[in-house]
């Protein structure tokens, strides 16, 4: 239903882009209200695609991926909004953002494994072209790295997909890429993988998703790409839509290879904690605010990984909420940096001071967003990080020692974000060229994002009431398996 | 005196071959009466003959004829259709580009038809003699075509190189055929299959013969270490000829290799390890060396070497349950993709003779968005990014190989394609970054049509892979 309305938007006009993205958002909101709070997929569509190898065009929504789709469809208009004053390559920009949005939604809703892979790879193309056409500095090199690095990971996932499907075929005689059938076969024991084979296949999936997420040490493509994208933040907002890595871990890597996932969880937990701490420390030293934010994203995704690999209901729910938060909050921060950069022509935090004095409303909204990102209780960031850590603490394969280090990450995130805020918004305003209040439209958009942050912070039930059944099903199947 | 018994001939089995050779012969004469500045009429006639043969495909009879020398079947139909499709597109390309560059001659199209006839013979060959005839016919026509841009030194040099290396390869092939004949007493593939010696000196002779034949075909499809000629010849030949050569001779050569491997049946396991090694080397060498290339044609030459490794892997993976779907689909994907890539390069060359480099792609997006789009599709398909046809080809090969029990080969193939992604993506993103002061290129109707067909094919076959079968079988 939702799937690919955006793909049909071949028109290059920005109005069409707006209409499509908003229509899409409306459809998603409709789907959200029509969702039943049950496990399993709803709104399923399935068409035979290549029947002799069992490939289907199969999509569906459940309590987990519906939130990913919501995020993607709500941030698409935000990216268009951030780029509204951009004059160059206007038409290609809108077309590419829509293609990106379509392929992302496709990846989130696909229940056929190979179809997921198709969309997963397809997201690379528009993003890399966006960086190459709209970027500054050595944009081409950044774009190549952006494309090739994740591509290498996903090629190994392709080999793993082949291996998984063929083993299933050899054991059951059924050639299929249907993720429900495959994970069901793993659950009820009709598909039994040799221990080493399972670990090898898991490694293929893990590599692809870890690079895409990204977590340390697979993250190097991301800050470079974000440093070369245009200052208004439009492409970055599109970029933080790229939650497919973490989503793929949750949806595919874990249910297919539950034993290998438990086996690898401690090591992956260590990587996640290093991600949290390392990016926080690096972010502290950044003067370019966009690069700072990209490290903040990596830091958030460390919490997501921790939550996912806890394989507990709390942890997975926390991971889901953190993914949504990271999209909302970091999206808002990118927009703020874009507004600042448009007025001053620089993203260096040292070029700003005393913005609060000349733009108090903007300063207030920014402060709330920063608090949300740090994880102040009452705002959305707190809920996600708290649940992720609770999950990690409860998980037998992780435990409290991971949480202790993760907490240090939260302290550090307060340090780097508040330092940036103090430098930019506090102090004396410059004599001339002071930053003035942004337009009403910009303030309104920021305000809307903040409303969402407060709602999730005060009433996370709005997410969990829909996601809970699916998350519980998923976690139960994982635990049943890994016994 | 005993009468010589002529074998009966079912002309409907060789229908496509007859059409191509018949029209090539007729066209050679007709061309004499076509004025030098009207050679596009010759091109049009050759195109008509090719399309005629393409349409005749489903009406051909399945079976074996001419004393078991030539065969026709459902997979032959698909392969023949791929070859004829490539020829038709190449004729469109050649008639535009060669005219612009002032090197158009009527013989070009006759030679292209003759080469096509050779490819069809290879695809339909059921005896070693037919395979040899097909390969030689194909090669000799291509030697001339490579050197046809007469006053151009690069073209002459490429033609000479190709001739010498090709003759070398043909020598291996003949020697291999002789040894095989000596060991089994037959030239017909189906008879040899039943007479494979199980012990003794005959067995060594037989497998030496098979090995030498594979070397001969290995030159043609540029498997490592028989690939050295490829970049030089691809670079030197006129681009429209390069695309024809890259596509047609590779498809035909691989069909011959498939025929040999199938003939061996279970005995193929004797040579499988060696061929696996060659496939791995071919994939890796092609992908790694291509990274260092700046000339677009050389880059595509190494890319074609790397793809040859994939096809060979698909052939080896297909000896069991999966059938020949993987390698034949891969060849079809390769054909569409390379025709598109070389086609765009040819249009970009315009009337110049210069060898285009990566830098020439910079900023192409701002001056020729449609060409950029087609080139982008081609590069993505070469890299194997969905939803292009190249992705499905790659996936089918990897899963066929895995299914046949060669898990490591599947993983190495994944490695090789990861390496290769780098230079495709570099070329792709070059087109979208920077600006250029080079003029916008205009497209002739012929090139536009041909490019449009292959670009649509890259996406359409990628999304609807069964369409290849459907198109080839239409009307039957």
């Amino acid at each position: 239903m939702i799937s690919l309305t955006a793909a049909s938007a071949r028109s290059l006009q920005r109005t069409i882009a707006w209409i499509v993205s908003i229509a899409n958002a409306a459809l998603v909101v409709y789907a959200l209200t029509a969702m039943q709070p049950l496990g399993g997929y709803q709104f399923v569509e399935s068409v035979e695609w290549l029947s002799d190898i069992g490939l289907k065009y199969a999509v569906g929504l459940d309590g987990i991926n519906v939130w990913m789709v919501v995020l993607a469809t709500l941030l698409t208009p935000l990216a268009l909004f951030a780029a509204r004053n951009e004059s160059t390559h206007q038409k290609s920009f809108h077309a590419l953002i829509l293609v990106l949005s379509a392929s992302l939604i496709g990846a989130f809703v696909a229940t056929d494994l190979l179809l997921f892979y198709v969309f997963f790879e397809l997201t690379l193309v528009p993003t890399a072209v966006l960086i190459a056409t709209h970027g500054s500095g050595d944009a081409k090199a950044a774009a190549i790295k952006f494309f090739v690095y994740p591509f290498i990971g996903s090629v190994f996932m392709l080999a793993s997909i082949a291996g998984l499907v063929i083993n299933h075929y050899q054991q059951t005689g059924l050639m299929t890429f249907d993720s429900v059938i495959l994970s069901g076969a793993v659950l009820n024991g009709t598909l039994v993988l040799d221990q080493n084979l399972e670990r090898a296949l898991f490694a293929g999936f893990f590599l692809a998703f870890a690079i895409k997420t990204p977590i340390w040490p697979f993250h190097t493509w991301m800050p470079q790409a974000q440093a070369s994208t245009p200052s208004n933040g439009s492409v970055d907002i599109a970029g933080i839509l790229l939650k497919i890595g973490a989503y793929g871990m949750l949806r595919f890597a874990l249910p297919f290879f539950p034993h290998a996932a438990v086996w690898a969880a401690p090591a992956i937990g260590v990587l996640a904690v290093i991600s949290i701490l390392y990016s926080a420390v690096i972010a502290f030293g950044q003067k370019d605010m966009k690069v700072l934010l990209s490290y903040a994203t990596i830091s958030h995704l460390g919490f997501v990984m921790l939550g996912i690999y806890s394989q507990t209901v709390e942890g997975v729910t926390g991971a889901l909420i953190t993914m949504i938060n990271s999209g909302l909050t970091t999206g808002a921060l990118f927009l703020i940096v874009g507004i600042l950069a448009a007025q001053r022509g620089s993203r260096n935090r040292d070029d700003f001071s005393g913005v609060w004095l000349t733009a108090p409303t903007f300063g207030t909204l920014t402060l709330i967003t920063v608090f949300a990102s740090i994880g102040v209780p009452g705002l959305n960031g707190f809920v996600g990080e708290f649940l992720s850590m609770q999950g990690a603490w409860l998980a037998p394969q992780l435990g409290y020692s991971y949480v202790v280090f993760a907490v240090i990450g939260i302290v550090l995130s307060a340090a780097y974000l508040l330092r940036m805020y103090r430098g930019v918004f506090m102090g004396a305003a410059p004599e001339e060229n002071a930053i003035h209040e942004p337009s009403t439209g910009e303030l309104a958009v920021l305000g809307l994002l903040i409303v969402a942050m407060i709602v999730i912070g005060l009433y996370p039930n709005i997410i969990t009431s829909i996601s809970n059944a699916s998350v519980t099903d998923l976690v139960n199947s994982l635990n049943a398996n890994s016994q | 005196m005993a009468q010589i018994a002529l074998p009966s001939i079912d002309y409907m089995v060789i229908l496509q071959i007859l059409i191509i050779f018949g029209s090539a012969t007729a066209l050679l004469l007709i061309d004499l009466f076509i004025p030098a500045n009207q050679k596009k009429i010759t091109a049009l006639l050759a195109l008509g003959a090719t399309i005629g043969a393409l349409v005749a495909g489903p009406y051909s009879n399945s079976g074996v004829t001419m004393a078991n020398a030539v065969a026709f079947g459902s997979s032959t139909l698909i392969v023949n259709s791929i070859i004829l499709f490539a020829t038709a597109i190449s004729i469109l390309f050649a008639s535009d580009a060669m005219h612009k560059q002032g090197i158009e001659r009527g013989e070009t199209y006759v030679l292209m038809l003759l080469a096509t006839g050779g490819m069809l013979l290879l695809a339909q060959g059921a005896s070693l003699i037919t395979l040899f005839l097909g390969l030689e016919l194909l090669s000799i026509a291509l030697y001339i075509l490579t050197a046809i841009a007469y006053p151009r030194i690069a073209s002459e040099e490429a033609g000479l190189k190709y001739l010498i290396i090709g003759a070398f390869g043909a020598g291996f092939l003949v020697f291999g055929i002789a040894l095989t004949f000596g060991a089994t007493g037959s030239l017909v593939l189906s008879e040899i299959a039943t007479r494979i010696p199980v012990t003794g000196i005959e067995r060594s002779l037989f497998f030496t013969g098979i090995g030498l034949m594979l070397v001969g075909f290995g030159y043609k499809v540029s498997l490592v270490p028989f690939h050295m000629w490829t970049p030089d010849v691809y670079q030197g030949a006129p681009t429209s000829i390069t695309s024809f050569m890259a596509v047609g001779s590779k498809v035909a050569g691989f069909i011959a290799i498939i025929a040999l491997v199938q003939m061996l049946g279970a005995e193929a396991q004797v040579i499988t390890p060696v061929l696996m090694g060659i496939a791995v080397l071919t994939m890796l060498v092609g992908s790694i060396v291509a990274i260092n290339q700046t000339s677009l044609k050389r880059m595509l030459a190494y890319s074609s070497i790397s793809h040859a490794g994939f096809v060979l892997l698909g052939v080896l993976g297909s000896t069991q349950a999966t059938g020949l779907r993987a390698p034949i689909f891969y060849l079809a994907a390769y054909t569409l993709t390379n025709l598109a890539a070389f086609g765009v390069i040819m249009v970009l060359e315009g009337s110049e003779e210069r060898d285009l480099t990566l830098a020439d792609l910079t900023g192409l997006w701002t001056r020729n968005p449609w060409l950029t789009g087609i080139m982008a599709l081609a590069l993505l398909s070469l890299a194997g990014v969905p939803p292009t046809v190249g992705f499905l080809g790659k996936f089918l090969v990897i899963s066929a190989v895995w299914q046949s029990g060669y898990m490591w080969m599947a993983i190495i193939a994944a490695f090789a394609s990861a390496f290769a992604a780098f230079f495709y993506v570099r070329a792709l993103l070059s087109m979208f970054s920077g600006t250029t002061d080079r003029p916008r290129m205009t497209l002739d109707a012929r090139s536009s049509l041909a490019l449009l067909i292959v670009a649509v094919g890259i996406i359409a076959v990628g999304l609807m892979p069964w369409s290849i079968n459907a198109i080839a079988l239409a009307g039957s």
Side-chain angles (χ1 to χ4, degrees):
Chain A
M1 182 190 70
I2 293 161
S3 52
L4 290 175
T5 34
S8 62
R10 298 288 307 132
S11 167
L12 306 175
Q13 301 301 318
R14 69 188 301 187
T15 38
I16 304 253
W18 274 104
I19 290 167
V20 168
S21 60
I22 288 171
N24 244 2
L27 270 176
V28 175
V29 172
Y30 162 73
L32 207 50
T33 52
M35 281 294 283
Q36 305 293 318
L38 303 167
Y41 287 103
Q42 305 170 34
F43 306 107
V44 173
E45 271 182 36
S46 180
V47 182
E48 291 286 323
W49 182 13
L50 182 50
S51 51
D52 53 343
I53 61 167
L55 183 55
K56 282 187 293 190
Y57 176 86
V59 297
L61 281 177
D62 73 355
I64 297 172
N65 65 6
V66 72
W67 287 108
M68 300 286 100
V69 176
V70 168
L71 188 65
T73 42
L74 295 183
L75 287 185
T76 308
L78 187 67
L80 295 176
F81 178 78
R84 70 209 170 285
N85 295 325
E86 172 109 339
S87 57
T88 53
H89 300 298
Q90 189 67 259
K91 42 182 194 171
S92 68
F93 177 83
H94 287 103
L96 288 168
I97 289 277
L98 284 190
V99 173
L100 173 61
S101 170
S103 44
L104 265 168
I105 296 171
F108 286 137
V109 299
T111 56
D112 188 279
L113 192 50
L114 203 63
L115 184 69
F116 166 77
Y117 183 84
V118 167
F119 284 119
F120 182 76
E121 295 257 278
L122 201 56
T123 57
L124 290 175
V125 180
T127 326
V129 173
L130 273 172
I131 296 173
T133 46
H134 295 78
S136 53
D138 199 0
K140 195 176 111 191
I144 292 175
K145 198 168 174 186
F146 175 87
F147 193 115
V148 172
Y149 203 162
F151 186 80
I152 290 173
S154 58
V155 169
F156 287 100
M157 181 168 76
L158 186 65
S160 281
I161 291 175
L164 177 70
V165 167
I166 286 164
N167 272 289
H168 181 258
Y169 173 67
Q170 285 166 346
Q171 292 183 23
T172 65
L174 176 66
M175 190 79 170
T176 182
F177 292 88
D178 190 322
S179 64
V180 179
I181 297 179
L182 289 172
S183 52
V186 173
L187 182 61
N188 62 29
T190 43
L191 171 62
V192 181
L193 297 169
D194 170 68
Q195 191 188 51
N196 289 329
L197 180 66
E198 182 184 352
R199 288 176 183 175
L201 294 178
F202 174 76
F205 275 78
F206 176 76
L207 193 62
F209 294 139
I211 292 173
K212 193 85 170 187
T213 305
I215 63 174
W216 187 89
F218 307 107
H219 67 283
T220 57
W221 57 270
M222 196 184 189
Q224 191 186 355
Q226 288 191 321
S228 325
T229 49
S231 294
N232 62 30
S234 51
V235 181
D236 306 295
I237 292 170
I240 51 168
L241 299 177
L242 297 173
K243 297 281 179 277
I244 345 176
Y247 171 76
M249 291 272 190
L250 189 58
R251 176 48 53 84
F252 300 111
L254 260 61
F256 292 156
F257 314 109
H259 309 97
V262 170
W263 166 74
I268 294 170
V270 169
L271 292 185
V273 169
I274 294 177
S275 257
I276 296 172
L277 296 178
Y278 171 86
S279 354
V281 171
I282 300 278
F284 192 78
Q286 291 301 320
K287 292 201 184 299
D288 184 332
M289 291 187 282
K290 249 156 65 78
V291 179
L292 184 149
L293 291 181
S294 77
Y295 278 106
T297 313
I298 299 173
S299 189
H300 287 152
L301 286 163
F303 283 101
V304 174
M305 281 297 128
L306 216 49
I308 289 175
Y309 278 91
S310 75
Q311 304 185 14
T312 57
V313 176
E314 293 82 1
V316 171
T317 308
L320 183 65
I321 296 179
T322 307
M323 282 194 258
I324 298 171
N325 290 342
S326 165
L328 279 178
T329 320
T330 321
L333 287 171
F334 274 121
L335 193 64
I336 289 166
V337 172
I339 291 170
L340 288 171
Q343 289 195 24
R344 178 63 45 89
S346 160
R347 310 190 297 237
N348 189 328
R349 64 160 198 251
D350 291 347
D351 292 344
F352 296 90
S353 74
V355 174
W356 182 288
L357 295 173
T358 50
T361 320
F362 184 46
T364 313
L365 295 179
T366 308
L367 186 61
I368 299 173
T369 315
V370 165
F371 280 153
S373 186
I374 294 168
V376 171
L379 291 162
N380 59 348
F382 172 73
V383 185
E385 285 172 359
F386 179 78
L387 283 173
S388 301
M389 288 189 293
Q390 190 189 1
W393 190 303
L394 293 173
Q397 68 270 31
L398 294 175
Y400 66 89
S401 51
Y402 291 86
V403 178
V404 171
F405 287 102
V407 168
I408 299 176
I410 298 187
V411 176
L412 287 172
S413 83
Y416 64 76
L417 279 171
L418 289 177
R419 189 164 94 134
M420 177 183 100
Y421 187 81
R422 192 193 64 198
V424 173
F425 284 86
M426 301 289 139
E431 296 288 316
E432 50 197 39
N433 285 336
I435 301 287
H436 49 82
E437 287 279 9
S439 70
T440 323
E442 284 162 337
L443 291 177
V445 169
L446 273 180
L448 281 177
L449 289 170
I450 286 171
V451 168
M453 291 173 208
I454 294 173
V455 169
I456 297 176
L458 294 180
Y459 191 67
N461 216 5
I462 197 171
I463 294 177
T464 51
S465 64
I466 292 178
S467 69
N468 211 15
S470 301
V471 170
T472 312
D473 278 2
L474 179 72
V475 170
N476 285 345
S477 71
L478 292 177
N479 291 337
N481 251 306
S482 51
Q483 303 298 310
Chain B
M1 183 176 136
Q3 260 192 326
I4 299 173
L6 285 173
S8 71
I9 299 176
D10 181 352
Y11 289 102
M12 292 305 281
V13 169
I14 50 170
L15 184 60
Q16 290 176 305
I17 299 181
L18 283 179
I19 293 175
I20 290 296
F21 282 137
S23 32
T25 319
L27 202 57
L28 198 55
L29 272 177
I30 296 171
D31 184 56
L32 293 176
F33 302 100
I34 294 174
N37 56 356
Q38 291 296 321
K39 291 301 180 192
K40 66 177 170 202
I41 298 174
T42 317
L44 210 60
L45 291 172
L47 184 65
T50 314
I51 292 173
L54 194 58
V55 173
Y59 302 100
S60 304
N61 286 350
S62 293
V64 186
T65 190
M66 298 177 93
N68 295 329
V70 187
F72 192 85
S74 61
S75 64
T76 329
L77 173 60
I78 294 174
V79 173
N80 280 5
S81 305
I82 297 174
I83 292 170
L84 290 166
F85 173 81
T87 310
I89 298 288
S90 303
I91 290 174
L92 284 171
F93 282 157
S95 104
D96 178 18
M98 297 191 135
H99 181 71
K100 268 190 197 147
Q101 303 192 344
I103 50 173
E104 188 177 33
R105 298 148 182 258
E107 303 91 285
T108 310
Y109 308 109
V110 176
L111 286 166
M112 284 172 90
L113 285 184
L114 285 174
T116 308
M119 294 169 195
L120 297 182
L121 266 184
L122 269 175
Q124 292 191 228
S127 93
L128 295 178
I129 290 296
T130 324
L131 293 183
F132 180 70
L133 278 179
L135 187 79
E136 279 305 277
L137 189 57
L138 156 75
S139 307
I140 290 169
L142 282 177
Y143 301 148
I144 306 171
L145 282 171
T146 305
I148 205 154
Y150 167 59
R152 243 188 250 174
I153 300 287
S155 166
E156 302 297 290
E157 184 192 330
L160 196 62
K161 265 185 194 158
Y162 196 21
L163 171 66
I164 292 170
I165 301 284
F168 202 54
F172 278 100
L173 183 61
V174 174
F175 197 37
I177 291 175
L179 288 181
T180 311
F181 180 68
T184 61
S186 174
L187 288 166
V188 178
L189 298 182
S190 55
E191 285 173 16
I192 296 174
T194 61
R195 296 188 197 170
I196 296 173
V198 283
T199 50
I201 186 78
E202 282 86 4
R203 190 172 168 82
S204 330
L205 280 182
F206 176 76
F207 278 105
T208 312
I210 295 290
L212 290 174
M213 282 196 280
L214 288 172
V215 170
F217 288 117
Y219 273 107
K220 211 76 243 167
V221 299
S222 44
L223 297 173
V224 173
F226 318 114
H227 67 288
M228 299 293 188
W229 59 274
T230 317
D232 291 348
V233 173
Y234 279 25
Q235 189 182 20
T239 309
S240 47
I241 298 302
T242 308
S243 82
F244 179 58
M245 170 166 63
V247 169
S249 69
K250 195 151 287 187
V251 174
F254 265 114
I255 297 308
I257 291 179
I258 290 173
L260 286 183
V261 172
Q262 283 200 320
M263 177 192 82
L264 290 174
E267 295 278 12
Q269 59 182 336
V270 177
I271 54 166
T272 301
V274 182
L275 289 181
M276 282 284 178
I278 289 180
V280 167
L281 266 183
T282 308
M283 286 187 298
L284 291 178
V285 168
S287 308
I288 293 170
V289 181
I291 292 175
N292 214 13
Q293 305 300 317
T294 51
S295 157
L296 290 178
K297 278 161 86 179
R298 286 186 84 86
M299 189 189 92
L300 285 179
Y302 281 107
S303 135
S304 88
I305 293 172
S306 164
H307 285 289
F310 269 92
V311 182
L312 184 58
L313 210 55
V315 174
L316 299 174
S318 306
T319 46
Q320 295 174 4
T322 51
L324 288 170
R325 185 178 55 206
I328 290 184
F329 188 86
Y330 201 98
L331 285 171
Y334 171 87
T335 303
L336 280 168
T337 310
N338 273 279
L339 284 174
F342 280 113
V344 173
I345 293 179
M346 183 199 77
V347 172
L348 291 181
E349 281 174 353
S351 56
E352 290 178 57
E353 300 178 1
R354 204 161 57 85
D355 185 37
L356 294 181
T357 63
L358 262 179
D360 290 304
L361 286 180
T362 307
L364 186 63
W365 172 242
T366 55
R367 59 182 170 122
N368 278 91
W370 286 104
L371 271 186
T372 310
I374 293 171
M375 189 66 173
L377 271 182
L379 289 168
L380 289 174
S381 182
L382 285 169
V385 177
T388 57
V389 64
F391 160 70
L392 210 56
K394 183 172 79 175
F395 181 73
L396 287 177
V397 164
I398 288 181
S399 48
V401 171
W402 195 308
Q403 204 167 343
S404 308
Y406 303 106
M407 187 180 100
W408 287 106
M409 290 299 134
I411 292 170
I412 293 172
F415 250 119
S417 95
F419 272 127
F422 174 73
F423 57 87
Y424 298 128
V425 171
R426 183 177 54 181
L428 173 77
L429 294 173
S430 291
M431 300 190 298
F432 288 100
S433 60
T435 50
T436 177
D437 48 2
R438 297 196 56 189
R440 192 183 143 82
M441 306 306 294
T442 49
L443 271 81
D444 180 80
R446 286 159 287 183
S447 301
S448 317
L449 176 68
L451 282 175
L452 191 68
I453 292 173
V454 287
V456 169
I458 289 175
I459 288 289
V461 181
L463 292 177
M464 301 174 289
W466 61 86
S467 57
I468 287 195
N469 288 357
I471 292 168
L473 298 173
S476 61

